[in-house]
Amino acid sequence: MASTERRGPRQIYAAFLWSMKGLRAAFRHEASFRLEVFLAVVVVPLGLWLGHGAVEKIVLITFPVLVLSAELLNSAIEAVVDKVSPEFHELAGRAKDMGSAAVFLLLAMVAVTWGLILGPRFLG
């Protein structure tokens, strides 16, 4: 259902606060998110430093940020599934596994991207 509220700076600020609340909750309650944040804190500055040109820098930092985004979505799926169906159900397990697979694919893309861009510089 579409919102009938007027949009403006107050609503943008409120949305920002909700986003920060979500980031804090993920960091506080999700060990995987914390680990991926710590990895991003290392690889994002490295990507900015090691990338040659703007395009390489963008590519090297985009995938770690996408991993964090996918982890947030995965955690949200898991929380909703656990709330709706606390007992085990095949579909609930499938939804959680698919969310985890999305994070895995992006982590693999981080490795492939970094390997293709930086591998030849350091290995050859």
Side-chain angles (χ1 to χ4, degrees), residues 27 31-45 68:
F27 195 83
S32 295
F33 184 75
R34 282 192 300 274
L35 176 62
E36 290 155 357
V37 165
F38 294 135
L39 289 172
V41 165
V42 172
V43 299
V44 167
L68 294 174

Side-chain angles (χ1 to χ4, degrees), residues 15 17-18 23 28 31 49 60-61 82 98 102 106 115 117 119 122:
L17 292 178
W18 295 325
L23 287 171
R28 183 176 298 127
W49 181 51
L60 290 173
I61 68 172
D82 289 345
M98 289 177 178
L106 283 168
I117 292 174
F122 295 107

Side-chain angles (χ1 to χ4, degrees), residues 83-102:
K83 172 69 175 164
V84 172
S85 178
E87 69 279 345
F88 177 79
H89 189 279
E90 181 184 348
L91 292 175
R94 193 181 311 161
K96 289 180 170 188
D97 291 346
M98 289 177 178
S100 179

Side-chain angles (χ1 to χ4, degrees), residues 66-81:
L66 287 175
V67 167
L68 294 174
S69 298
E71 187 63 51
L72 288 168
L73 292 172
N74 181 42
S75 297
I77 290 168
E78 289 179 352
V80 170
V81 166

